[in-house]
Amino acid sequence: MKPLAALLLAATAWAQIRVVQFPAKSPLVTFRIVFTIGSAADPPEKPGLAALTATLLAEGGTKDLTYQQIEEAMFPIAGSMSVQVDKEMTTFSGVIHADNLAVYYKLLRSRLLAPGFREDDFKRVQADLIDGIRSGLRNNDEELGKVVLHDSLFQGTPYGHYTYGTVDSLQKLTLEDVKSFYRSQYSQTNLFLGIAGGFTPKFLDQMKTDFRALPAGAGFRPREKMAPPLKGVRTIIVEKETRSVAVSIGFPILTTRNMLDYPALLVANSYFGQHRMSYGLLYQEMREARGLNYGDYSYIEAFPDAGFRMEPPPNLARHQQIFQMWIRPVEPPNAVFAIRMAMYELDKLYNNGIPEDGFERARDFVSRNVNFLTRTRNAEVGYGIDSFWYTIQPYADYVRNALLKLTRNDVNAAIRRNLHPNRALIVAVANHAENLKKQLASGDPSPITYNSPKREAVIQEDEVVAKWPLRLKAEDVQIVPAASVP
């Protein structure tokens, strides 16, 4: 563990600009420039505007250079710039060798401070985002289910639409909409400058001076509206032609990183369904013991595009979070059993808590995993910005210090305060939606048949799971066509 002093973490407010820096003897310089705006700042009638604006900045030209000229200038210095848009944050990031810092920074600075806003760039980026929904999201059953789950849970709040908007909205947005959004939201008060590696104090001073060209304050944004707790269990079936059934189950939670229950929920979630890890309870019971699918995981924070990542990226900070179970696609005859199995395991977690050996194992994993999450300069800067936003200690220190005092009773109490199995939304992406609806609403048993012998304990538990009450009526199950979402 690095001592805090050795990190040389300096997070300071300079005028309105906040700076998170990690100087180091390194041949590389890492940038992570974060604006605390995202899709939550979209005007209600213009979902996707924040994402379209950010993508145009990252993938467009400047006042002096075309997009093609920038690409040609980046190539010989091995430079690039990526963008990540979420609900509350938009992040522009890149890494460059210190020898090429001056050339690279000039290009990065111009893209963010002097964008060209050319019509041809706008049309290209707009078309890419629309295609990303039509050909990308709608053809990825698992990510589509997660988006429908999230948007439905937060409906009526600024989080209640897909980050990249809808096809209809994107088609209607104009270049003037983008220019107006940029002028009103890209400001010093919304800015974090994150930098790490082999830069000099003089360079950082120049960077801060440059970004003072942004307006001091941002335009008006309405206060955040929190998602209300669910009443009972309900289901949305997204109907499309597909060979399997992808399932996501979840509900909003109020616990975020700066709250007392957060470290306890980290441990509970690691025990229950750690992402991409085979030791989680859901994985062990659903995949290993029964061979239902490829994997089963759970989350206490939003994790967009989890199917493409081994770990969550930083700079997804939010004022309200989501608990979610990701049940990877199952064969249609086993879909209702799999849903019941997930709800059954969540109910057991709520009522029985985690055992002592499970607590020790999960706490040990979480304590080690924070080092893995923050192992790169890019992640170090990103988590540093998140910690500044949440007003907590540096993330790794914050988690490890909390774990030293954490007990199994603390974890089980946090589970009961936050994870309520009788208030959940189930989203299934499936073909033959009416048949699935009838199965779910009937309450009839859904026994499972295996191709190979199973342990007697598994068979006995299956009898309970097959009859597990979901308490769904026909009016609790809604069917929507995939072409209508988002």
Side-chain angles (χ1 to χ4, degrees):
M1 170 182 168
K2 297 179 183 178
L4 184 59
L7 293 176
L8 294 177
L9 169 61
T12 56
W14 191 81
Q16 289 95 353
I17 299 176
R18 293 157 291 187
V19 179
V20 174
Q21 55 170 310
F22 290 84
K25 292 182 178 179
S26 170
L28 302 177
V29 179
T30 298
F31 292 91
R32 208 162 175 94
I33 299 173
V34 175
F35 290 89
T36 54
I37 49 174
S39 65
D42 287 341
E45 72 283 3
K46 297 178 180 180
L49 181 55
L52 180 57
T53 303
T55 309
L56 184 57
L57 293 179
E59 299 179 9
T62 69
K63 289 180 178 178
D64 298 327
L65 297 174
T66 66
Y67 168 72
Q68 186 62 38
Q69 287 173 322
I70 292 176
E71 292 298 293
E72 290 172 356
M74 287 283 196
F75 182 77
I77 62 172
S80 65
M81 177 178 170
S82 62
V83 63
Q84 170 185 286
V85 186
D86 194 53
K87 303 303 182 186
E88 299 276 0
M89 288 183 167
T90 295
T91 305
F92 300 92
S93 58
V95 181
I96 195 67
H97 195 281
D99 290 348
N100 299 318
L101 178 59
V103 174
Y104 176 80
Y105 173 66
K106 182 178 179 181
L107 297 171
L108 179 150
R109 177 186 62 196
S110 296
R111 272 186 157 165
L112 296 182
L113 301 181
F117 290 131
R118 291 178 175 81
E119 187 69 30
D120 58 336
D121 287 338
F122 172 79
K123 292 296 184 184
R124 170 175 50 82
V125 170
Q126 182 186 44
D128 286 347
L129 294 189
I130 292 171
D131 185 64
I133 295 175
R134 284 177 168 165
S135 302
L137 180 64
R138 290 178 184 169
N139 287 321
N140 186 326
D141 296 355
E142 297 174 86
E143 293 304 321
L144 179 61
K146 294 176 196 174
V147 168
V148 172
L149 174 71
H150 186 281
D151 293 355
S152 301
L153 289 175
F154 290 93
Q155 189 174 19
T157 79
Y159 290 3
H161 62 274
Y162 181 44
T163 299
Y164 288 85
T166 67
V167 170
D168 182 62
S169 174
L170 288 170
Q171 289 173 332
K172 294 177 181 177
L173 293 175
T174 68
L175 184 56
E176 286 305 313
D177 291 329
V178 168
K179 291 178 180 178
S180 176
F181 188 86
Y182 174 81
R183 289 192 298 266
S184 67
Q185 300 299 328
Y186 279 73
S187 68
Q188 295 177 53
T189 53
N190 283 339
L191 176 63
F192 279 98
L193 292 179
I195 187 169
F199 63 93
T200 64
K202 181 179 179 180
F203 175 82
L204 180 57
D205 287 341
Q206 183 60 54
M207 188 177 177
K208 291 186 289 188
T209 298
D210 292 340
F211 277 84
R212 281 180 64 96
L214 290 170
F220 171 77
R221 285 172 59 187
R223 291 182 61 184
E224 297 293 338
K225 180 181 179 183
M226 307 301 277
L230 295 175
K231 296 179 180 179
V233 177
R234 59 188 183 92
T235 299
I236 296 175
I237 303 174
V238 181
E239 186 168 33
K240 61 171 292 191
E241 290 189 14
T242 182
R243 296 173 58 187
S244 58
V245 180
V247 178
S248 290
I249 303 171
F251 43 83
I253 58 174
L254 295 175
T255 296
T256 56
R257 288 188 195 175
N258 56 350
M259 297 186 180
L260 290 175
D261 278 349
Y262 177 78
L265 287 185
L266 269 184
V267 173
N269 186 71
S270 184
Y271 164 81
F272 191 60
Q274 181 72 43
H275 179 67
R276 298 293 192 186
M277 294 294 156
S278 61
Y279 86 92
L281 181 71
L282 286 176
Y283 190 102
Q284 286 295 312
E285 293 297 329
M286 299 184 73
R287 171 176 166 164
E288 290 297 297
R290 291 169 173 83
L292 274 169
N293 56 3
Y294 183 73
D296 305 277
Y297 313 103
S298 62
Y299 310 88
I300 62 163
E301 293 183 297
F303 188 170
D305 297 324
F308 304 102
R309 300 176 183 270
M310 290 299 295
E311 63 206 62
N315 306 137
L316 302 175
R318 299 186 181 189
H319 289 101
Q320 188 174 14
Q321 282 292 356
I322 180 176
F323 172 79
Q324 177 179 339
M325 292 185 284
W326 175 24
I327 310 305
R328 303 207 67 179
V330 298
E331 294 180 355
N334 297 331
V336 177
F337 182 90
I339 291 170
R340 279 179 154 142
M341 184 94 219
M343 297 297 285
Y344 166 77
E345 293 296 349
L346 180 59
D347 187 85
K348 284 202 308 180
L349 181 70
Y350 179 82
N351 286 295
N352 303 336
I354 67 176
E356 187 63 37
D357 61 337
F359 165 72
E360 295 290 347
R361 184 176 67 250
R363 183 178 60 175
D364 180 63
F365 178 89
V366 171
S367 180
R368 289 182 286 108
N369 193 49
V370 291
N371 293 325
F372 178 77
L373 293 176
T374 57
R375 68 193 183 281
T376 67
R377 292 291 180 195
N378 191 36
E380 195 173 36
V381 174
Y383 275 92
I385 291 171
D386 287 343
S387 295
F388 198 152
W389 193 87
Y390 281 116
T391 64
I392 60 174
Q393 292 177 291
Y395 185 70
D397 297 314
Y398 166 67
V399 171
R400 282 193 295 262
N401 290 338
L403 294 181
L404 292 174
K405 299 175 286 186
L406 195 68
T407 68
R408 173 174 170 258
N409 288 338
D410 294 332
V411 173
N412 289 337
I415 290 171
R416 289 189 290 272
R417 282 191 292 268
N418 292 273
L419 309 183
H420 301 283
N422 295 323
R423 301 198 300 245
L425 176 62
I426 301 165
V427 174
V429 180
N431 203 354
H432 307 299
E434 282 293 346
N435 290 340
L436 180 56
K437 176 178 179 176
K438 289 177 182 177
Q439 293 177 57
L440 290 168
S442 71
D444 293 343
S446 53
I448 185 171
T449 301
Y450 297 110
N451 295 323
S452 60
K454 300 297 177 185
R455 293 180 290 109
E456 182 60 28
V458 170
I459 299 301
Q460 292 180 4
E461 190 171 41
D462 284 356
E463 293 180 3
V464 176
V465 173
K467 300 175 183 177
W468 190 255
L470 296 174
R471 299 181 178 86
L472 288 168
K473 300 177 182 178
E475 56 266 32
D476 299 323
V477 183
Q478 176 188 6
I479 297 176
V480 298
S484 70
V485 291

